[in-house]
């Protein structure tokens, strides 16, 4: 942050000139993220396609404008947090999109989880307008967003990383530089694919062990001290009764929904297909979450795959 | 250990009567395990179908006899370490098997990795002769066996667990009681199934990330601080150059062979089929290791699945 | 059939000495099969573990006895039709089993669908008693059994095939000799594995096509004139409204139940695991039918996989 | 075809005014297709990105121009036959693309196999220029293209189907109308997905049967008279020695390459992901062909999956 120094009655004052930050996409994640920018003293200029979504942030002190183009007119650092690739394309390159009025030198940070190929397209389009685009998807849910505990995985030109980091550290606990544009998305997608595989694997394994006569808590303990250990077994165990404070202890409410996991696995599948990379377990994990979505598990936490695979009572 | 007390010249002597321990199966694992019993002061009476396998142990001080039945005649605690279910059935119930001459009250500990259903059959057969059978498969390879660092997962009647533990602690660092007969096998099989899933998942994920432009070391670091973390990503990474001292750093030599993993996954599949438990990822992992066995990876470490899935040079 | 000739009042009479045929296992399949033997003039000596199952056949003219051993005492040709491997082992080698009282030269034909390894074991046990064992599993359901339209796939020594064929043609329209003992089972298992793969594949394909805007009848027509054609697409289409007279036209009632298909796929998986044969799609088909069994599809026809995979209404 | 009538020396002449047909994409498939148009009396105006590809067609009588835009200037019926979606997008909407100079009322027929979503995009773009776009992918290879034996699956507005059919019947034996734009692609993709599943399933089944002791010819015969029957088992059997005149009889030369099948399965995967349709076997089939591409099978016929899954000699 740039500042001027001023001496007044023998006391030194640092006067910061903070330029406003634009924020587009005020959903469950975007709103608490933008609030954390406000909390850190950044003026925020925001917009969302749903006017009602803007109300909460406006009450907290943000200035609300009509369109992404209007944001771009007033801010030279803009963060976007949108549901999927088509929304990102619209917000950046649509008729009222950012790029219609973006100023030269503007820093554009997209925290949506989308196809890395779209991130690269946006970067090219931004560069044509003299702006810089970075992808910075997050890991961590609504709770982490509220407590500024998100992890950001950042892709883009390295020279701009410091500028991005300044803003992202207001909203997250970890900011990791991953490489060129799109690698932030790549890291996010890779992590979530391995997460899904580990979760389904843990659910299958726990279910098999229980049916073979093992106590679930004991089995979890054995796995966690052995080579079967993974995040899903030791931190987010899908079997009710094994751990407290996780969705499986609360009928799979809250957490990371099956629909969202299916969406991320769809992205993993797309990038793998496009790069001709074989991902047999990743593909099957995708299909399992897809079937779960159509069998009533869409809104449950993704650890409910344990319940899905378990033999029904009375069969 | 039972002992007599004896007072001699005003000093108390505890005289231990150490009865010999039988050991059947002197392969790569059995021989160092039996040596550790000898090191701990237990006389060992041993046998193996291959006479040459007995030589090494005989030189270390064990008494070698002709058959399992002969071992059973002389020892009332017997450990077996055999390649697969049919060998266990033969050694226990065959014409020269243990149960032909077993003494009442003998403790039989089987450290082979086999189908838990066979363990339960052996326990029933042993009980008919007045003996007690426990399953105690190990995790850890030849190195762990030599250094007495194995983990034993023990199933059987709880009253006999202490007696088993006395012997097993001579050969391993961890001894875990899992429940009734067969649950030791169950725990072992469950762990290895989740291990296989995690390994293939890690290999797919690392390969995908690399093809999307991520540096493998950086990707491993990101996964290991996130929810994608698992033993295969943080302790035994399958990508050459990411970690030292693992098989991937040594052209997949040593470690845990693909054939052995395929065998354990076959056991997992059998128990799942018999208990009607769905294991979609476990089944696919089994099939992948089965294909690898037939495509030249039989004797490489199981982390070579990374190499198997990777695009060939020049394609 | 052997006969004597007799001339009486200038007319030639052929006197057939028809020895009775034993039949063990009077379930949904066994009862109509045994009735067809009676219809063809064979005296039948039958038994079943459930006395009430014997009543219907007794009323049709069969002699009912107490145990398989009793059947073996009176008949030198015996057919067994049982639910699974353990039943076959019990009926042949149990304390009141066939082999306890079997006569030398008796022909034993097992029409149960079981593991070919068990068929081979039974053949060895029978041979020790001087009897001949053949496996002859059937394809076709209860309807085909009633109308003597079953297909028999027969494994066993070729010299005895004619003798077996004489009986089997009374109960079936096709009798195919497959080779040594166990190959009848192998053929049955192979066919049903490919059937399951084709059915799930057809269900996926039809569902995808419908969601892409194709009319299901038109899509079926295109597939059936192209390389996607299979029995499940052209004879037993799983999509309601495409064909008449199939389970999909009747809410998946009747037909071949999901539980039975899961059982046959379990056998396929076991034989593949034991012979180290990779069957990736066969394994996944097994897992899908296994999940369906635990999600309420156990008693529906196996073509209900279309319903299982379809997006739920309102999603 | 429109014509004028003319009477000359008492004989009636029908004077056809055949307007030229544009053809873009002169690869292995496009060249013989365009030749068949010439053979049927249609003047052809053609282009291709590789000038050398145009030579052969030019020698046969076609007029070669520089770009798709040039074709569009001179022809009001244009057929495109291109390798993949990006090529189609370029040829239609690129700087020298068809739509730059297309005349109102032009009929555009795309025979490439691409994502149906791209077909729909092209149709929208064409409509804006007053032209009509139809998708008409083919089944059948280079041989069928030469002999005008292709099957066309056509999607687009029904009123224009007759006009398309007139041209397509010059190049194919079957022309099937599938529905709105994109359904031609959908039908093609669906057929090939089921084909891939049936082929891998047949390969697995034949391999399993052989390892269980069945003669491959006999097993094929049994499957083909039973419910396991499919095009891959009865028309294109993947096991050498079972059938003549198929790629398996010729070391998997010729036929339909593994790379092409992997491409079509990638399209199936994309459309399934986009429409949230679960395709578990289709996904796994895709992954298997993807692995095969990277293990040396890229240029073999897709029935070589039998060889890929088979146990290697000497293992």
């Amino acid at each position: 942050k740039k500042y001027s120094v001023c001496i007044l009655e023998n006391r030194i004052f640092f006067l910061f000139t903070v330029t406003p930050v634009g924020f587009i996409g005020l959903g469950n994640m975007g709103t608490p993220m933008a609030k954390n920018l406000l909390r850190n003293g950044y003026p925020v200029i925001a917009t969302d396609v749903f006017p009602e979504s803007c109300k909460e942030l406006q009450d907290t002190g943000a200035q609300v404008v009509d369109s992404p183009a209007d944001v771009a007119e007033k801010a030279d650092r803009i963060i976007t947090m949108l549901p999927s690739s088509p929304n990102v394309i619209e917000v950046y390159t649509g008729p009222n999109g950012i790029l219609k009025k973006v100023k030269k030198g503007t820093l554009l940070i997209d925290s949506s989880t989308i196809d890395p190929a779209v991130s690269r397209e946006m970067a090219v389009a931004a560069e044509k307008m003299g702006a810089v685009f970075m992808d910075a998807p997050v890991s961590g849910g609504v709770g982490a967003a509220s407590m500024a505990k998100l992890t950001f995985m950042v892709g883009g030109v390295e020279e701009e990383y410091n500028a991005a980091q300044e803003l992202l550290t207001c909203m997250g606990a970890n900011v990791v530089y991953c490489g060129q544009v799109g690698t932030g998305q790549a890291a996010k997608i890779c992590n979530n694919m391995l997460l899904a595989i580990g979760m389904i694997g843990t659910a299958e394994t726990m279910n098999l062990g229980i049916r073979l006569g093992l106590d679930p808590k004991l089995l979890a303990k054995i796995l966690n001290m052995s080579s079967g250990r993974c995040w899903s077994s030791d931190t987010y165990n899908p079997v009710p009764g094994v751990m407290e404070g996780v969705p499986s202890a609360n009928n799979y409410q809250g957490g990371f929904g099956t629909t969202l996991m299916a969406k991320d696995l769809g992205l993993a599948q797309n990038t793998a297909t496009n790069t001709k990379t074989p991902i047999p377990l990743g593909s099957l994990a995708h299909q399992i979450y897809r079937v779960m979505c159509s069998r009533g598990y869409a809104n449950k936490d993704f650890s409910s795959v344990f319940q899905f695979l378990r033999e029904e009572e009375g069969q």
Side-chain angles (χ1 to χ4, degrees), chain A residues 61-172:
Chain A
Q63 180 187 351
V64 171
V65 296
D66 280 349
S67 72
D70 292 348
V71 173
E73 217 170 12
K74 303 191 174 183
D76 57 6
R77 293 178 289 180
I78 303 173
I79 294 165
T80 50
M81 187 61 176
L82 301 157
S84 66
S85 297
N87 304 292
V88 170
I89 294 171
E90 178 71 17
V91 159
Y92 280 86
T93 65
N96 289 309
I98 292 172
L99 298 185
K100 280 286 178 285
K101 297 197 180 168
V102 74
K103 290 180 278 186
K104 289 217 166 154
T106 297
L107 175 62
L108 304 165
I109 303 174
D110 180 36
S111 284
S112 321
T113 296
I114 59 167
D115 193 318
V118 174
S119 300
R120 283 191 294 267
E121 281 173 31
M122 294 303 106
V124 168
E127 203 182 0
K128 282 184 188 161
M129 310 299 296
V132 174
F133 177 95
M134 304 188 92
D135 57 309
V138 304
S139 101
V142 172
S146 300
M147 297 184 298
K149 296 274 187 200
L150 294 169
T151 294
F152 287 91
M153 287 156 275
V154 187
V157 281
E158 200 158 6
E159 298 79 50
E160 300 289 334
Y161 175 59
N162 283 347
Q165 200 179 17
E166 180 200 316
L167 297 178
L168 298 177
T169 46
C170 304
M171 302 180 285

Side-chain angles (χ1 to χ4, degrees), chain A residues 195 197-203 205-206 216-217 219-239 242-243 246 248 302-303:
Chain A
L195 169 59
I197 293 169
M199 178 54 80
I200 302 175
T202 302
T205 301
M206 294 295 298
K217 276 194 172 182
L219 175 55
K221 196 184 126 196
I222 293 172
L223 294 175
N224 292 340
M225 60 187 260
S226 311
S227 48
R229 165 176 61 76
C230 62
W231 186 87
S232 297
S233 70
D234 70 15
T235 303
Y236 206 86
N237 201 289
V239 181
V242 168
M243 295 181 72
V246 289
S248 64
F302 80 115
S303 65

Side-chain angles (χ1 to χ4, degrees), chain A residues 23 25-36 53 56-57 60:
Chain A
F23 205 105
L26 302 172
N28 293 333
M29 292 294 288
T31 296
M33 288 168 70
K35 282 186 184 174
N36 280 322
S53 301
E56 187 182 345
L57 202 69
T60 328

Side-chain angles (χ1 to χ4, degrees), chain A residues 113-114 116 137-139 153 178 182-198 261 264-269 271-272 275 277 279 282:
Chain A
T113 296
I114 59 167
V138 304
S139 101
M153 287 156 275
C178 298
T183 54
Q185 299 294 353
K188 166 81 186 284
I189 287 171
C190 283
N191 183 72
N192 281 15
M193 185 174 93
L194 188 48
L195 169 59
I197 293 169
M261 182 51 99
D264 287 1
L265 290 168
L267 290 172
Q269 181 67 66
T271 61
T275 56
T277 311
I279 50 162

